[in-house]
Amino acid sequence: MIDVQLADRVRSLPPYLFATIDKMKDEALARGVDLINLSIGDPDVPTPQHIVEAMQAAVVKAEHHQYPSYEGMLSFRTAVAEWYKARFNVTLDAKTEVLSLIGSKEGIGHIPLAFVNPGDVVLVPSPGYPVYPVGTLFAGGESHLMPLLEKNNYLPDFTIIPEDVLKRAKLMFLNYPNNPTSAGAPKSFYEEAIALAKKYNIIICHDAAYSEVYFDGERPMSFLEVDGAKEVGIEFHSLSKTYNMTGWRIGFAVGNAQVLAGLGKIKSNLDSGVFQAVQEASIVALRTDDAILADLRRIFEERRDVMYEGLTSLGLKVQKPQATFYLWAKVPDGHDSSGFVAHLLNNAGVLGTPGVGFGAPGEGYIRFALTKPVGRIREAVERIKKVL
Ligand SMILES: *Cc1c(COP(=O)(O)O)cnc(C)c1O
């Protein structure tokens, strides 16, 4: 038997904060508890039928059975460019300013490998999507956490980042509409970020996974709509949340051609692109009639209303989401994040995610994902009411 030793980069992964909760969840399920699991950011609604049918037609075509190109079929990249034009009035060159990804997580995880040398800094929002700091760690970089606090509307305060950190920073991740806080960002914030990026030569990577999961008819803007954005960065996007296609593994990055070429260098050496049948079905997805998307949004909007009004009526302090399918709620006094999650799990059979799992500034919060039917969400509120 050889002595199997993990590499330092794997050993230095942050501790898995959900282990205790996972164990309690398994125990609850073993006891036969009817668990309402609101901890998973994966929509329960199936992919729209016309997209599934496009996939059925595409999968039989022999030309799709070979290696795809890592950068994506030109027809797919053209559909992305048209989508950006129609959605945001942003003009993109499909050949140089659009890159296909095997889900946006893949691109987010890989981009530090293209631009970050050991010891370089990456500016990372916290609480935030764990892939930003982990991708940074795998590249040997150092994450500098930018706290997202309620008093700043969950926007990072750039003025508190030390000058020497800014000078060493190569990349900055931003994510609006935000997971886990559900906050949005105004144009003025992006302008500030772009000015900072220009001053300190920082590449901005904006994660827009939730730009189409919005409520009250108020569509969030694209980072690329802002003057100067394309000079400093790129935007990551995904079909996962927009079209309920999390299992299909397709996303894309758009914007600065040099930055995309750098990411493409990593990808061409590591992967072989997205299955072309998936790309072909995704062209159909991107051309989906807006009425169908409006119906999908209405499903999440109804759930949001039930959960937001329900928790608020119980006296919990909740951020009302304008987008995303998450609710970010303050835990009641006397609990911390993990303790409150455990309390709800053990006494109400409702599972949320402890805010601290997304980074230290998330302590004191719980995230509920609206990924269960509205009847179950109503029941979750009733059950929480009994144990508060
Ligand atoms: C879901 C999610 C993604 C990635 O989704 P993919 O399925 O990999 O495209 C990226 N960023 C955030 C914040 C997410 O919540």
Side-chain angles (χ1 to χ4, degrees):
M1 189 63 180
I2 59 159
D3 181 17
V4 178
Q5 294 281 351
L6 289 171
D8 293 344
R9 74 176 64 81
V10 180
R11 284 189 213 231
S12 50
L13 281 169
Y16 181 64
L17 284 158
F18 305 125
T20 320
I21 304 260
D22 280 352
K23 194 160 160 272
M24 282 193 272
K25 175 184 139 197
D26 291 343
E27 284 164 5
L29 289 172
R31 286 198 305 275
V33 171
D34 172 31
L35 187 73
I36 304 177
N37 188 347
L38 304 180
S39 72
I40 305 171
D42 189 353
D44 56 320
V45 184
T47 307
Q49 190 57 27
H50 68 287
I51 302 171
V52 175
E53 281 165 12
M55 182 67 184
Q56 286 171 325
V59 79
V60 299
K61 296 184 188 166
E63 75 252 36
H64 293 335
H65 299 170
Q66 294 183 285
Y67 282 122
S69 66
Y70 78 89
E71 77 271 25
M73 294 156 75
L74 187 58
S75 55
F76 171 71
R77 288 180 288 148
T78 301
V80 168
E82 287 169 2
W83 189 85
Y84 255 78
K85 185 75 192 163
R87 271 279 186 296
F88 302 119
N89 199 25
V90 168
T91 305
L92 296 168
D93 177 347
K95 289 207 174 84
T96 59
E97 295 178 330
V98 182
L99 178 66
S100 74
L101 298 171
I102 310 171
S104 61
K105 181 179 186 179
E106 177 263 302
I108 291 166
H110 279 147
I111 196 160
L113 290 177
F115 299 105
V116 175
N117 283 315
D120 287 345
V121 167
V122 176
L123 301 169
V124 168
S126 179
Y129 190 54
V131 186
Y132 313 139
V134 168
T136 300
L137 172 74
F138 284 172
E142 204 181 286
S143 290
H144 178 87
L145 302 185
M146 303 185 289
L148 306 186
L149 305 177
E150 186 182 1
K151 64 170 182 173
N152 299 325
N153 300 316
Y154 301 103
L155 299 167
D157 178 357
F158 296 138
T159 65
I160 62 169
I161 305 173
E163 177 86 13
D164 63 306
V165 170
L166 289 168
K167 283 183 176 156
R168 285 163 56 217
K170 288 286 171 65
L171 294 182
M172 169 161 60
F173 285 105
L174 295 173
N175 164 223
Y176 293 97
N178 184 258
N179 175 11
T181 68
S182 82
K187 187 175 180 193
S188 58
F189 169 75
Y190 293 124
E191 287 168 346
E192 227 186 289
I194 290 166
L196 189 82
K198 283 185 177 166
K199 181 165 176 201
Y200 292 98
N201 212 41
I202 299 169
I203 296 168
I204 294 182
C205 298
H206 184 246
D207 179 354
Y210 295 95
S211 79
E212 305 309 304
V213 190
Y214 61 87
F215 308 124
D216 309 321
E218 281 180 43
R219 193 162 71 204
M221 65 185 303
S222 160
F223 166 66
L224 293 181
E225 285 178 56
V226 184
D227 283 344
K230 219 194 265 181
E231 294 164 43
V232 302
I234 62 172
E235 186 155 77
F236 286 101
H237 227 298
S238 173
L239 280 84
S240 290
K241 316 288 163 57
T242 307
Y243 304 103
N244 298 324
M245 290 173 68
T246 52
W248 297 57
R249 309 316 302 137
I250 183 161
F252 49 89
V254 294
N256 187 285
Q258 275 178 289
V259 175
L260 294 177
L263 176 56
K265 270 254 176 353
I266 300 296
K267 285 177 60 60
S268 61
N269 283 283
L270 285 178
D271 73 54
S272 300
V274 177
F275 181 23
Q276 288 194 5
V278 170
Q279 294 188 54
E280 202 166 285
S282 296
I283 294 171
V284 172
L286 289 165
R287 293 178 183 156
T288 297
D289 193 300
D290 209 50
I292 295 175
L293 296 182
D295 284 343
L296 292 177
R297 281 193 282 270
R298 221 163 286 128
I299 294 173
F300 289 108
E301 187 165 314
E302 186 189 13
R303 295 173 182 184
R304 175 205 63 166
D305 290 344
V306 167
M307 191 75 175
Y308 173 75
E309 281 153 27
L311 294 180
T312 304
S313 74
L314 302 184
L316 289 180
K317 253 190 100 203
V318 188
Q319 166 92 358
K320 186 170 189 184
Q322 290 304 306
T324 78
F325 40 66
Y326 304 110
L327 254 92
W328 187 242
K330 261 220 163 82
V331 305
D333 288 344
H335 290 280
D336 63 8
S337 283
S338 301
F340 188 61
V341 168
H343 174 67
L344 293 188
L345 172 59
N346 290 325
N347 300 301
V350 174
L351 184 59
T353 309
V356 69
F358 300 100
E363 179 51 81
Y365 291 87
I366 179 171
R367 190 193 76 174
F368 293 108
L370 304 170
T371 47
K372 286 284 180 280
V374 70
R376 292 292 274 172
I377 287 176
R378 210 167 266 132
E379 188 180 338
V381 172
E382 283 307 310
R383 291 195 201 171
I384 293 171
K385 184 178 178 176
K386 294 197 182 105
V387 303
L388 273 187

